[in-house]
Amino acid sequence: MKILKFGGTSVGSPERMKRLLDIIRPQEKQIVVLSAVAGTTNSLVEIANAYQNSDKQKAKELIKALHAKYEVFIKELFSSDEGLASGRELIDYHFALISDFANELFTPIEEKIILAQGELLSTTLYHFYLKEIGVKSVLLPALDFMKIDEDNEPMVEYIGEHLQPLLDKHADNTLFITQGYICRNSFGEIDNLRRGGSDYTASLIGAAIKAEEVQIWTDIDGMHNNDPRIVKGTTPIAQLSFDEAAELAYFGAKILHPQSVFPAQKYKIPVRLLNTMEPAAAGTLITNESEKGKIKSIAAKDGITAIKIQSSRMLLAYGFLRRVFEIFERYKTPIDLITTSEVAVSLTIDETRYLDDIIRELKDFGTVEVDDNQTIICVVGDFSVGVHGFASRVLDALKHIPLRMVSYGGSNHNISLLVKTDDKTEALRSLHNRLF
Ligand code: ASP
Ligand code: MG
């Protein structure tokens, strides 16, 4: 069994939806995971916000506009009166459901129900379309098997135990379709895997039923070795290890939901990143293998704030870092990079909601310096012990750029550097020229 996930743009228009059959071979065993039609989840978020703000008029207008878009969508998708009627009944049902929340108390529970409608719509429309053209498919309700626990962690075993019987029940079928992103939480309520979570769904399903392969279909031919928007002549990376892919997914490369790497890694399911617009291109294969002696890719993440805490109390003290980190923990602010010396520690964050409180508390330790508008540049490849020369090439490429932090040795597969965002473009280009 293979898992094929198609993102919002791959089902973004009736034409694109129809062209999925260039890629999906209905006679092969597979589960197709679909995102909502591009733009839909954003619109649903706006509708939920309007309800949240008790702006029923605005909610009504937004719903009307989205409903009208789907009306156009189904007219192009279906060619028979029967098909069109099935599509219309479906969209009318979902938009009536969304409209009904105007009469209810609006809580995060209702919000999540609204956010779930996009994937429910896209998958059912596709299932109806296949039916209209005579292609057999089974629609699997993700809400019957996708589950997260009380810590919002997906329950892989549970997913397998509940999905496998559904597959067995339709053992003579080959093409299964299900919703990305949506799930149930520990209370049994409708919930989701956070924005962009359809990749995560695909990987979780792959892990849960020990699939042969997970394919993530987007509109770029795999992960590139640098940011194609900034650097000319980037190329797709043929192969990455799960660790390298997780690193790159977190930094810059928006092509893969960072968490989606972990279930596939744990259960050793290969993940392929492929391009809907160019199905024959090789894309990127992610496996347990890491290629020795190679630099794979350069990525960057903007919007970083660096904090330096300088304290003579740190000298020869123990427990100092713990007390520093506890402050960040209390404010639920993740730390990305850390570098330390004997009397100072620098670290970076990308979530600044509680920055003022954090700084106020850090000042108890000593002097605190804060720099915003920073960018983490991450070079991924084989930086394991025993490999030499790569770090010096990286630093040499950046010799004309002021470096705020350098983090090396934290893992075997990357070196991260902090530069001013103003210097990012030059840093990426210079590294590209020097390393590839
Ligand atoms: N539809 C959801 C979103 O827009 C999930 C996804 O597309 O992966 O975030
Ligand atoms: Mg996505």
Side-chain angles (χ1 to χ4, degrees):
M1 182 78 86
K2 286 187 183 166
I3 317 298
L4 280 69
K5 179 261 171 178
F6 295 95
T9 49
S10 304
V11 294
S13 66
E15 198 216 328
R16 294 289 298 266
M17 212 178 230
K18 289 180 189 180
R19 288 202 358 230
L20 291 186
L21 279 181
D22 295 350
I23 293 162
I24 297 171
R25 280 186 288 264
Q27 66 285 1
E28 288 177 13
K29 278 244 173 226
Q30 64 201 299
I31 301 177
V32 170
V33 176
L34 298 184
S35 291
V37 170
T40 298
T41 310
N42 286 342
S43 300
L44 294 172
V45 168
E46 283 182 51
I47 292 167
N49 287 344
Y51 277 135
Q52 187 68 47
N53 301 330
S54 304
D55 193 345
K56 288 185 189 171
Q57 189 50 36
K58 181 154 181 221
K60 203 173 159 183
E61 281 160 22
L62 291 166
I63 294 167
K64 201 174 149 200
L66 191 60
H67 195 165
K69 260 171 79 175
Y70 274 86
E71 182 63 35
V72 175
F73 197 101
I74 57 167
K75 279 187 186 142
E76 268 177 61
L77 183 65
F78 296 102
S79 46
S80 68
D81 290 344
E82 230 183 325
L84 183 61
S86 71
R88 182 163 295 130
E89 194 186 334
L90 179 82
I91 67 171
D92 288 352
Y93 166 80
H94 285 278
F95 284 99
L97 185 140
I98 298 170
S99 304
D100 264 357
F101 289 112
N103 311 315
E104 281 177 44
L105 185 70
F106 200 75
T107 72
I109 300 177
E110 282 73 33
E111 180 191 13
K112 284 168 180 161
I113 297 174
I114 289 185
L115 295 188
Q117 303 308 309
E119 272 72 11
L120 292 169
L121 276 165
S122 63
T123 49
T124 316
L125 283 173
Y126 190 55
H127 174 63
F128 285 177
Y129 166 70
L130 290 177
K131 197 165 165 185
E132 176 178 64
I133 63 165
V135 174
K136 205 169 169 204
S137 68
V138 177
L139 188 60
L140 300 171
L143 298 177
D144 289 354
F145 58 87
M146 286 302 294
K147 192 160 173 85
I148 51 176
D149 65 16
E150 42 289 325
D151 300 318
N152 294 327
E153 286 299 323
M155 301 168 72
V156 177
E157 306 270 298
Y158 177 102
I159 295 167
E161 281 161 19
H162 288 76
L163 173 55
Q164 194 57 54
L166 296 177
L167 298 172
D168 295 343
K169 201 170 123 189
H170 301 279
D172 49 343
N173 287 267
T174 50
L175 176 54
F176 296 89
I177 300 166
T178 194
Q179 299 84 27
Y181 177 61
I182 64 174
C183 62
R184 287 194 190 271
N185 60 27
S186 57
F187 301 106
E189 298 156 355
I190 294 181
D191 210 318
N192 61 62
L193 301 172
R194 314 274 169 83
R195 296 305 306 273
S198 294
D199 299 346
Y200 204 12
T201 301
S203 169
L204 287 164
I205 291 179
I209 62 161
K210 317 275 179 305
E212 186 187 324
E213 177 173 297
V214 173
Q215 301 180 350
I216 307 283
W217 289 87
T218 56
D219 39 19
I220 173 165
D221 48 354
M223 278 205 202
H224 277 227
N225 62 355
N226 205 330
D227 189 334
R229 291 163 304 184
I230 294 176
V231 179
K232 277 202 203 88
T234 66
T235 48
I237 312 163
Q239 192 275 339
L240 282 170
S241 72
F242 286 111
D243 287 329
E244 291 165 343
E247 206 88 56
L248 289 173
Y250 168 73
F251 291 103
K254 269 260 184 287
I255 149 165
L256 185 67
H257 184 280
Q259 271 171 306
S260 63
V261 173
F262 302 118
Q265 177 170 34
K266 188 164 169 207
Y267 293 86
K268 302 193 175 61
I269 317 290
V271 176
R272 248 180 232 284
L273 308 178
L274 295 156
N275 186 355
T276 328
M277 303 304 272
E278 220 184 303
T284 299
L285 175 65
I286 307 169
T287 63
N288 260 335
E289 229 78 354
S290 64
E291 282 179 88
K292 293 278 163 246
K294 262 195 160 172
I295 290 186
K296 294 308 229 352
S297 180
I298 305 160
K301 189 172 169 70
D302 294 337
I304 303 293
T305 298
I307 303 172
K308 186 192 281 168
I309 306 122
Q310 214 151 7
S311 169
S312 52
R313 277 160 58 194
M314 194 174 160
L315 193 68
L316 302 174
Y318 48 83
F320 179 82
L321 286 177
R322 176 178 54 74
R323 277 178 280 141
V324 168
F325 291 156
E326 267 172 2
I327 295 173
F328 289 86
E329 188 181 345
R330 233 179 301 124
Y331 290 103
K332 296 196 190 317
T333 300
I335 296 169
D336 292 324
L337 287 190
I338 319 166
T339 54
T340 75
S341 82
E342 204 47 60
V343 290
V345 53
S346 270
L347 42 82
T348 69
I349 57 173
D350 65 1
E351 164 64 68
T352 51
R353 193 161 6 146
Y354 301 109
L355 185 60
D356 293 342
D357 298 302
I358 291 171
I359 293 168
R360 185 175 31 80
E361 293 203 31
L362 286 174
K363 279 190 173 152
D364 287 346
F365 295 114
T367 50
V368 179
E369 271 173 52
V370 179
D371 295 303
D372 57 6
N373 293 322
Q374 305 285 306
T375 293
I376 298 177
I377 309 265
C378 172
V379 181
V380 166
D382 180 13
F383 289 93
S384 52
V385 182
V387 173
H388 49 85
F390 282 172
S392 77
R393 272 165 69 192
V394 168
L395 292 175
D396 193 54
L398 299 175
K399 63 184 172 212
H400 55 304
I401 292 170
L403 300 177
R404 171 74 173 74
M405 286 166 72
V406 178
S407 173
Y408 176 70
S411 78
N412 281 341
H413 47 259
N414 87 312
I415 174 167
S416 299
L417 310 112
L418 192 70
V419 302
K420 282 204 204 80
T421 301
D422 287 342
D423 292 331
K424 172 178 84 167
T425 301
E426 176 54 26
L428 290 180
R429 286 186 184 149
S430 181
L431 281 167
H432 200 79
N433 290 338
R434 187 77 176 81
L435 300 179
F436 300 123

